[in-house]
């Protein structure tokens, strides 16, 4: 009986997240109500509050899951580059950056949702903290960097991510992303 209940709970949780994603993307966070989400999910308000603390928690869970997928993509790309014998930190960074950007292309609507500025109160702090974590992970590639190189490449990639997520011309944005990666790849330590 526990397995069936767990499966049903997981299905309800997934349906709530799917519904929240669809509605947040189409209407924005501020214009979405809990009743909109539960109606779209075919769930009850009680089930939403069983799985999440509210609308903001849905949004933050979507963000965390997106970031987890992005982290996995970049790790796999860097590991694959290393497996092929790549040791240059900048080339490893570019491999990971390319995978991250590709994930933004694959999930453009969701990436755009997090960059539009229509999130729950305090989300800008979450984004800022995530950017710092990202910079620290990047710094691990450039072991003896004192911060300037990591700041430049992380900032350039963050700008490219914003363009990828928010631009309307996908083909032009793909070219822009490749150009950004080419320029980043040419940057050398001061």
């Amino acid at each position: 009986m526990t397995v069936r209940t767990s499966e049903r709970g997981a299905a309800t949780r997934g349906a709530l997240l799917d519904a929240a994603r669809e509605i947040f993307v189409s209407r924005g966070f501020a214009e979405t109500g809990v009743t909109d989400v539960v109606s779209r999910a075919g769930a009850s308000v009680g089930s939403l509050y069983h799985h999440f603390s509210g609308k903001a928690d849905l949004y933050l869970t979507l963000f965390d899951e997106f970031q987890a997928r992005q982290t996995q993509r970049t790790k796999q790309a860097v590991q694959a580059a290393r497996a092929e014998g790549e040791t240059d930190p900048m080339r490893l960074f570019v491999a990971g950056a390319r995978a991250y950007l590709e994930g933004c292309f694959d999930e453009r609507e969701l990436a755009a949702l997090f960059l539009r500025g229509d999130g729950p109160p305090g989300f800008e702090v979450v984004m800022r903290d995530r950017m710092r974590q990202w910079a620290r992970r990047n710094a691990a590639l450039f072991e003896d960097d004192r911060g300037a190189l990591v700041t430049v490449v992380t900032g350039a990639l963050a700008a490219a991510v914003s363009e990828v997520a928010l631009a309307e011309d996908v083909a032009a944005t793909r070219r822009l992303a490749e150009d950004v990666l080419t320029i980043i790849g040419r940057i050398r330590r001061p």
Side-chain angles (χ1 to χ4, degrees):
M1 207 57 140
T2 308
V3 171
R4 187 174 290 156
T5 302
S6 296
E7 288 172 359
R8 188 171 52 233
T12 299
R13 183 181 187 281
L16 289 164
L17 284 170
D18 289 344
R21 180 184 30 76
E22 291 170 19
I23 298 172
F24 289 154
V25 163
S26 66
R27 292 189 203 163
F29 177 80
E31 296 299 318
T32 299
V34 167
T35 55
D36 300 321
V37 174
V38 297
S39 176
R40 171 80 55 95
S44 67
V45 172
S47 65
L48 183 139
Y49 285 107
H50 173 75
H51 293 283
F52 304 96
S53 63
K55 183 172 83 164
D57 192 22
L58 282 165
Y59 187 96
L60 294 171
T61 300
L62 288 170
F63 177 72
D64 287 341
E65 289 181 358
F66 172 74
Q67 288 301 323
R69 289 188 300 276
Q70 289 292 77
T71 298
Q72 188 61 30
R73 287 175 176 118
T74 58
K75 281 183 180 179
Q76 288 174 342
V78 171
Q79 288 170 348
R82 282 187 170 134
E84 293 174 6
E86 187 58 68
T87 59
D88 178 75
M90 187 59 76
R91 288 190 183 126
L92 292 171
F93 175 84
V94 169
R98 182 172 280 112
Y100 193 95
L101 287 170
E102 197 55 46
C104 289
F105 277 114
D106 291 348
E107 299 187 56
R108 276 184 85 234
E109 290 180 334
L110 201 52
L113 172 67
F114 304 127
L115 292 171
R116 281 193 300 241
D118 176 29
F123 184 66
E124 63 281 351
V125 174
V126 172
M127 287 290 282
R128 206 170 33 248
D129 288 346
R130 188 59 63 120
M131 188 69 137
R132 284 189 193 112
Q133 291 171 13
W134 188 26
R136 280 193 299 273
R137 281 195 308 273
N138 293 338
L141 288 173
F142 304 100
E143 296 163 357
D144 61 349
D145 179 64
R146 294 186 187 141
L149 179 64
V150 170
T151 300
V152 168
V153 297
T154 302
L157 187 57
V161 165
S162 183
E163 287 300 315
V164 165
L166 301 175
E168 295 190 19
D169 185 341
V170 175
T173 306
R174 279 192 177 279
R175 289 188 301 274
L176 173 72
E178 275 305 313
D179 289 346
V180 168
L181 292 175
T182 298
I183 292 167
I184 289 173
R186 291 179 183 154
I187 296 172
R188 296 294 165 240
R189 295 176 194 214

